[in-house]
Amino acid sequence: MAMVGAFAMAHPPLIIPAVGKGREREIQATVDACEEVGRRIAALAPDTLVVSSPHATLYRDYFHISPGSVGRGSFAMYGAPQAAYEATYDTELIAAVCDVCEAQGVAAGTDYERDRRLDHGTMIALHFIQPVYRDFKLVRVGLSGFSPANHYRLGRCV
């Protein structure tokens, strides 16, 4: 499995129409950029998306990789429970990344889950990808308090 692309995406909750209630038009350039990322991902047609979100479970000394077979969440905390998202996790890749991290001495894995719900950073990515491409699985990784060099090491493990 080869990496075919990488993208950074803004993730203000306001960008979701059910949350923004029209105010998302105030950040139309951001909406347009996110739609373009969705189109580019669809053109690449990856088997798996690895989403690293600063709003996923975060620890000072551990990279948390979401466990289980599916992730679900909504924008209920932003007053829009109807804006709900779901993605199937790539359990095989998650296990493989955990194994490589262990072999490389990178403190990462699926332990210590605090909140199984998808975070808004991940859901915003899904909001712009799923309308144009759905044939993928997901690996969701939280950031950590580690140095940038250790984040790079995690990326190499992935």
PDB file of all heavy atoms in Angstrom, residues 65-91:
ATOM      1  N   ILE A  65      -4.533   6.024  18.195  1.00  0.00           N
ATOM      2  CA  ILE A  65      -5.136   5.601  16.935  1.00  0.00           C
ATOM      3  C   ILE A  65      -6.504   5.025  17.290  1.00  0.00           C
ATOM      4  O   ILE A  65      -6.601   4.134  18.136  1.00  0.00           O
ATOM      5  CB  ILE A  65      -4.256   4.558  16.227  1.00  0.00           C
ATOM      6  CG1 ILE A  65      -2.850   5.145  15.975  1.00  0.00           C
ATOM      7  CG2 ILE A  65      -4.907   4.100  14.927  1.00  0.00           C
ATOM      8  CD1 ILE A  65      -1.828   4.124  15.508  1.00  0.00           C
ATOM      9  N   SER A  66      -7.542   5.538  16.671  1.00  0.00           N
ATOM     10  CA  SER A  66      -8.898   5.123  17.041  1.00  0.00           C
ATOM     11  C   SER A  66      -9.109   3.635  16.794  1.00  0.00           C
ATOM     12  O   SER A  66      -8.836   3.138  15.709  1.00  0.00           O
ATOM     13  CB  SER A  66      -9.937   5.925  16.268  1.00  0.00           C
ATOM     14  OG  SER A  66      -9.883   7.273  16.669  1.00  0.00           O
ATOM     15  N   PRO A  67      -9.605   2.919  17.821  1.00  0.00           N
ATOM     16  CA  PRO A  67      -9.865   1.487  17.691  1.00  0.00           C
ATOM     17  C   PRO A  67     -11.276   1.211  17.173  1.00  0.00           C
ATOM     18  O   PRO A  67     -12.081   2.126  16.996  1.00  0.00           O
ATOM     19  CB  PRO A  67      -9.726   0.996  19.137  1.00  0.00           C
ATOM     20  CG  PRO A  67     -10.251   2.148  19.940  1.00  0.00           C
ATOM     21  CD  PRO A  67      -9.822   3.391  19.191  1.00  0.00           C
ATOM     22  N   GLY A  68     -11.547  -0.053  16.964  1.00  0.00           N
ATOM     23  CA  GLY A  68     -12.885  -0.473  16.576  1.00  0.00           C
ATOM     24  C   GLY A  68     -13.031  -0.613  15.075  1.00  0.00           C
ATOM     25  O   GLY A  68     -12.056  -0.506  14.324  1.00  0.00           O
ATOM     26  N   SER A  69     -14.254  -0.822  14.641  1.00  0.00           N
ATOM     27  CA  SER A  69     -14.500  -1.044  13.223  1.00  0.00           C
ATOM     28  C   SER A  69     -15.191   0.133  12.535  1.00  0.00           C
ATOM     29  O   SER A  69     -15.209   0.212  11.316  1.00  0.00           O
ATOM     30  CB  SER A  69     -15.336  -2.311  13.028  1.00  0.00           C
ATOM     31  OG  SER A  69     -16.571  -2.184  13.709  1.00  0.00           O
ATOM     32  N   VAL A  70     -15.747   1.046  13.330  1.00  0.00           N
ATOM     33  CA  VAL A  70     -16.458   2.178  12.739  1.00  0.00           C
ATOM     34  C   VAL A  70     -16.376   3.382  13.663  1.00  0.00           C
ATOM     35  O   VAL A  70     -16.324   3.242  14.883  1.00  0.00           O
ATOM     36  CB  VAL A  70     -17.933   1.803  12.442  1.00  0.00           C
ATOM     37  CG1 VAL A  70     -18.701   1.547  13.718  1.00  0.00           C
ATOM     38  CG2 VAL A  70     -18.623   2.853  11.598  1.00  0.00           C
ATOM     39  N   GLY A  71     -16.325   4.549  13.063  1.00  0.00           N
ATOM     40  CA  GLY A  71     -16.373   5.796  13.817  1.00  0.00           C
ATOM     41  C   GLY A  71     -17.634   6.554  13.457  1.00  0.00           C
ATOM     42  O   GLY A  71     -18.023   6.592  12.281  1.00  0.00           O
ATOM     43  N   ARG A  72     -18.260   7.146  14.469  1.00  0.00           N
ATOM     44  CA  ARG A  72     -19.486   7.924  14.254  1.00  0.00           C
ATOM     45  C   ARG A  72     -19.400   9.211  15.069  1.00  0.00           C
ATOM     46  O   ARG A  72     -18.819   9.229  16.148  1.00  0.00           O
ATOM     47  CB  ARG A  72     -20.709   7.151  14.729  1.00  0.00           C
ATOM     48  CG  ARG A  72     -21.030   5.923  13.938  1.00  0.00           C
ATOM     49  CD  ARG A  72     -22.274   5.226  14.504  1.00  0.00           C
ATOM     50  NE  ARG A  72     -22.540   3.995  13.790  1.00  0.00           N
ATOM     51  CZ  ARG A  72     -22.039   2.809  14.119  1.00  0.00           C
ATOM     52  NH1 ARG A  72     -21.245   2.676  15.165  1.00  0.00           N
ATOM     53  NH2 ARG A  72     -22.326   1.742  13.394  1.00  0.00           N
ATOM     54  N   GLY A  73     -20.037  10.230  14.571  1.00  0.00           N
ATOM     55  CA  GLY A  73     -20.094  11.474  15.327  1.00  0.00           C
ATOM     56  C   GLY A  73     -21.086  12.428  14.698  1.00  0.00           C
ATOM     57  O   GLY A  73     -21.590  12.191  13.595  1.00  0.00           O
ATOM     58  N   SER A  74     -21.355  13.502  15.407  1.00  0.00           N
ATOM     59  CA  SER A  74     -22.255  14.534  14.889  1.00  0.00           C
ATOM     60  C   SER A  74     -21.815  15.890  15.428  1.00  0.00           C
ATOM     61  O   SER A  74     -20.968  15.978  16.310  1.00  0.00           O
ATOM     62  CB  SER A  74     -23.701  14.259  15.301  1.00  0.00           C
ATOM     63  OG  SER A  74     -23.909  14.625  16.652  1.00  0.00           O
ATOM     64  N   PHE A  75     -22.435  16.906  14.902  1.00  0.00           N
ATOM     65  CA  PHE A  75     -22.167  18.270  15.350  1.00  0.00           C
ATOM     66  C   PHE A  75     -23.175  18.696  16.413  1.00  0.00           C
ATOM     67  O   PHE A  75     -23.496  19.877  16.540  1.00  0.00           O
ATOM     68  CB  PHE A  75     -22.148  19.223  14.151  1.00  0.00           C
ATOM     69  CG  PHE A  75     -20.870  19.149  13.376  1.00  0.00           C
ATOM     70  CD1 PHE A  75     -20.709  18.227  12.360  1.00  0.00           C
ATOM     71  CD2 PHE A  75     -19.804  19.972  13.690  1.00  0.00           C
ATOM     72  CE1 PHE A  75     -19.521  18.135  11.657  1.00  0.00           C
ATOM     73  CE2 PHE A  75     -18.610  19.887  13.000  1.00  0.00           C
ATOM     74  CZ  PHE A  75     -18.464  18.971  11.982  1.00  0.00           C
ATOM     75  N   ALA A  76     -23.645  17.735  17.213  1.00  0.00           N
ATOM     76  CA  ALA A  76     -24.610  18.030  18.276  1.00  0.00           C
ATOM     77  C   ALA A  76     -24.073  19.088  19.232  1.00  0.00           C
ATOM     78  O   ALA A  76     -24.821  19.970  19.664  1.00  0.00           O
ATOM     79  CB  ALA A  76     -24.974  16.756  19.032  1.00  0.00           C
ATOM     80  N   MET A  77     -22.781  19.031  19.541  1.00  0.00           N
ATOM     81  CA  MET A  77     -22.228  20.011  20.482  1.00  0.00           C
ATOM     82  C   MET A  77     -22.201  21.423  19.897  1.00  0.00           C
ATOM     83  O   MET A  77     -21.991  22.392  20.617  1.00  0.00           O
ATOM     84  CB  MET A  77     -20.837  19.583  20.968  1.00  0.00           C
ATOM     85  CG  MET A  77     -19.759  19.666  19.926  1.00  0.00           C
ATOM     86  SD  MET A  77     -18.133  19.043  20.440  1.00  0.00           S
ATOM     87  CE  MET A  77     -17.905  19.749  22.025  1.00  0.00           C
ATOM     88  N   TYR A  78     -22.449  21.520  18.578  1.00  0.00           N
ATOM     89  CA  TYR A  78     -22.528  22.823  17.921  1.00  0.00           C
ATOM     90  C   TYR A  78     -23.971  23.138  17.524  1.00  0.00           C
ATOM     91  O   TYR A  78     -24.221  23.993  16.675  1.00  0.00           O
ATOM     92  CB  TYR A  78     -21.618  22.847  16.685  1.00  0.00           C
ATOM     93  CG  TYR A  78     -20.163  22.679  17.043  1.00  0.00           C
ATOM     94  CD1 TYR A  78     -19.553  21.437  16.968  1.00  0.00           C
ATOM     95  CD2 TYR A  78     -19.403  23.760  17.485  1.00  0.00           C
ATOM     96  CE1 TYR A  78     -18.222  21.272  17.313  1.00  0.00           C
ATOM     97  CE2 TYR A  78     -18.074  23.604  17.831  1.00  0.00           C
ATOM     98  CZ  TYR A  78     -17.497  22.361  17.748  1.00  0.00           C
ATOM     99  OH  TYR A  78     -16.180  22.195  18.088  1.00  0.00           O
ATOM    100  N   GLY A  79     -24.927  22.416  18.118  1.00  0.00           N
ATOM    101  CA  GLY A  79     -26.337  22.666  17.872  1.00  0.00           C
ATOM    102  C   GLY A  79     -26.891  22.044  16.606  1.00  0.00           C
ATOM    103  O   GLY A  79     -27.967  22.428  16.161  1.00  0.00           O
ATOM    104  N   ALA A  80     -26.159  21.078  16.010  1.00  0.00           N
ATOM    105  CA  ALA A  80     -26.614  20.475  14.758  1.00  0.00           C
ATOM    106  C   ALA A  80     -26.468  18.954  14.801  1.00  0.00           C
ATOM    107  O   ALA A  80     -25.645  18.378  14.090  1.00  0.00           O
ATOM    108  CB  ALA A  80     -25.831  21.067  13.591  1.00  0.00           C
ATOM    109  N   PRO A  81     -27.279  18.281  15.633  1.00  0.00           N
ATOM    110  CA  PRO A  81     -27.168  16.819  15.721  1.00  0.00           C
ATOM    111  C   PRO A  81     -27.502  16.111  14.406  1.00  0.00           C
ATOM    112  O   PRO A  81     -27.068  14.982  14.186  1.00  0.00           O
ATOM    113  CB  PRO A  81     -28.163  16.445  16.816  1.00  0.00           C
ATOM    114  CG  PRO A  81     -29.131  17.579  16.853  1.00  0.00           C
ATOM    115  CD  PRO A  81     -28.346  18.801  16.475  1.00  0.00           C
ATOM    116  N   GLN A  82     -28.249  16.781  13.533  1.00  0.00           N
ATOM    117  CA  GLN A  82     -28.597  16.182  12.244  1.00  0.00           C
ATOM    118  C   GLN A  82     -27.398  16.083  11.304  1.00  0.00           C
ATOM    119  O   GLN A  82     -27.415  15.301  10.359  1.00  0.00           O
ATOM    120  CB  GLN A  82     -29.744  16.959  11.577  1.00  0.00           C
ATOM    121  CG  GLN A  82     -29.365  18.337  11.055  1.00  0.00           C
ATOM    122  CD  GLN A  82     -29.354  19.454  12.096  1.00  0.00           C
ATOM    123  OE1 GLN A  82     -29.254  19.219  13.288  1.00  0.00           O
ATOM    124  NE2 GLN A  82     -29.461  20.688  11.617  1.00  0.00           N
ATOM    125  N   ALA A  83     -26.362  16.852  11.558  1.00  0.00           N
ATOM    126  CA  ALA A  83     -25.131  16.772  10.763  1.00  0.00           C
ATOM    127  C   ALA A  83     -24.283  15.657  11.366  1.00  0.00           C
ATOM    128  O   ALA A  83     -23.457  15.880  12.237  1.00  0.00           O
ATOM    129  CB  ALA A  83     -24.392  18.106  10.775  1.00  0.00           C
ATOM    130  N   ALA A  84     -24.546  14.433  10.907  1.00  0.00           N
ATOM    131  CA  ALA A  84     -23.912  13.243  11.478  1.00  0.00           C
ATOM    132  C   ALA A  84     -23.094  12.524  10.410  1.00  0.00           C
ATOM    133  O   ALA A  84     -23.465  12.528   9.227  1.00  0.00           O
ATOM    134  CB  ALA A  84     -24.973  12.306  12.045  1.00  0.00           C
ATOM    135  N   TYR A  85     -22.012  11.903  10.847  1.00  0.00           N
ATOM    136  CA  TYR A  85     -21.070  11.269   9.936  1.00  0.00           C
ATOM    137  C   TYR A  85     -20.664   9.909  10.473  1.00  0.00           C
ATOM    138  O   TYR A  85     -20.652   9.680  11.687  1.00  0.00           O
ATOM    139  CB  TYR A  85     -19.840  12.164   9.737  1.00  0.00           C
ATOM    140  CG  TYR A  85     -20.234  13.501   9.182  1.00  0.00           C
ATOM    141  CD1 TYR A  85     -20.669  14.531  10.031  1.00  0.00           C
ATOM    142  CD2 TYR A  85     -20.259  13.727   7.821  1.00  0.00           C
ATOM    143  CE1 TYR A  85     -21.092  15.742   9.519  1.00  0.00           C
ATOM    144  CE2 TYR A  85     -20.682  14.946   7.300  1.00  0.00           C
ATOM    145  CZ  TYR A  85     -21.097  15.940   8.152  1.00  0.00           C
ATOM    146  OH  TYR A  85     -21.524  17.139   7.643  1.00  0.00           O
ATOM    147  N   GLU A  86     -20.292   9.048   9.544  1.00  0.00           N
ATOM    148  CA  GLU A  86     -19.854   7.701   9.899  1.00  0.00           C
ATOM    149  C   GLU A  86     -18.807   7.263   8.894  1.00  0.00           C
ATOM    150  O   GLU A  86     -18.895   7.601   7.702  1.00  0.00           O
ATOM    151  CB  GLU A  86     -21.047   6.750   9.871  1.00  0.00           C
ATOM    152  CG  GLU A  86     -20.694   5.312  10.189  1.00  0.00           C
ATOM    153  CD  GLU A  86     -21.917   4.419  10.237  1.00  0.00           C
ATOM    154  OE1 GLU A  86     -22.862   4.754  10.986  1.00  0.00           O
ATOM    155  OE2 GLU A  86     -21.919   3.415   9.514  1.00  0.00           O
ATOM    156  N   ALA A  87     -17.820   6.506   9.363  1.00  0.00           N
ATOM    157  CA  ALA A  87     -16.796   5.946   8.473  1.00  0.00           C
ATOM    158  C   ALA A  87     -16.346   4.608   9.030  1.00  0.00           C
ATOM    159  O   ALA A  87     -16.234   4.428  10.250  1.00  0.00           O
ATOM    160  CB  ALA A  87     -15.615   6.899   8.353  1.00  0.00           C
ATOM    161  N   THR A  88     -16.082   3.685   8.132  1.00  0.00           N
ATOM    162  CA  THR A  88     -15.566   2.373   8.504  1.00  0.00           C
ATOM    163  C   THR A  88     -14.059   2.482   8.681  1.00  0.00           C
ATOM    164  O   THR A  88     -13.366   3.035   7.817  1.00  0.00           O
ATOM    165  CB  THR A  88     -15.892   1.342   7.403  1.00  0.00           C
ATOM    166  OG1 THR A  88     -17.309   1.282   7.248  1.00  0.00           O
ATOM    167  CG2 THR A  88     -15.354  -0.031   7.753  1.00  0.00           C
ATOM    168  N   TYR A  89     -13.571   1.969   9.784  1.00  0.00           N
ATOM    169  CA  TYR A  89     -12.124   1.994  10.033  1.00  0.00           C
ATOM    170  C   TYR A  89     -11.430   0.855   9.285  1.00  0.00           C
ATOM    171  O   TYR A  89     -11.998  -0.227   9.110  1.00  0.00           O
ATOM    172  CB  TYR A  89     -11.826   1.868  11.526  1.00  0.00           C
ATOM    173  CG  TYR A  89     -12.150   3.110  12.333  1.00  0.00           C
ATOM    174  CD1 TYR A  89     -12.755   2.997  13.575  1.00  0.00           C
ATOM    175  CD2 TYR A  89     -11.836   4.378  11.876  1.00  0.00           C
ATOM    176  CE1 TYR A  89     -13.043   4.112  14.339  1.00  0.00           C
ATOM    177  CE2 TYR A  89     -12.124   5.504  12.632  1.00  0.00           C
ATOM    178  CZ  TYR A  89     -12.719   5.369  13.857  1.00  0.00           C
ATOM    179  OH  TYR A  89     -13.001   6.479  14.613  1.00  0.00           O
ATOM    180  N   ASP A  90     -10.201   1.101   8.870  1.00  0.00           N
ATOM    181  CA  ASP A  90      -9.364   0.087   8.232  1.00  0.00           C
ATOM    182  C   ASP A  90      -8.637  -0.667   9.339  1.00  0.00           C
ATOM    183  O   ASP A  90      -7.515  -0.317   9.720  1.00  0.00           O
ATOM    184  CB  ASP A  90      -8.384   0.740   7.268  1.00  0.00           C
ATOM    185  CG  ASP A  90      -7.607  -0.257   6.433  1.00  0.00           C
ATOM    186  OD1 ASP A  90      -7.437  -1.412   6.882  1.00  0.00           O
ATOM    187  OD2 ASP A  90      -7.151   0.120   5.344  1.00  0.00           O
ATOM    188  N   THR A  91      -9.285  -1.687   9.879  1.00  0.00           N
ATOM    189  CA  THR A  91      -8.741  -2.415  11.031  1.00  0.00           C
ATOM    190  C   THR A  91      -7.426  -3.111  10.708  1.00  0.00           C
ATOM    191  O   THR A  91      -6.552  -3.215  11.568  1.00  0.00           O
ATOM    192  CB  THR A  91      -9.766  -3.424  11.574  1.00  0.00           C
ATOM    193  OG1 THR A  91     -10.159  -4.309  10.523  1.00  0.00           O
ATOM    194  CG2 THR A  91     -10.999  -2.706  12.121  1.00  0.00           C
TER     195      THR A  91
END
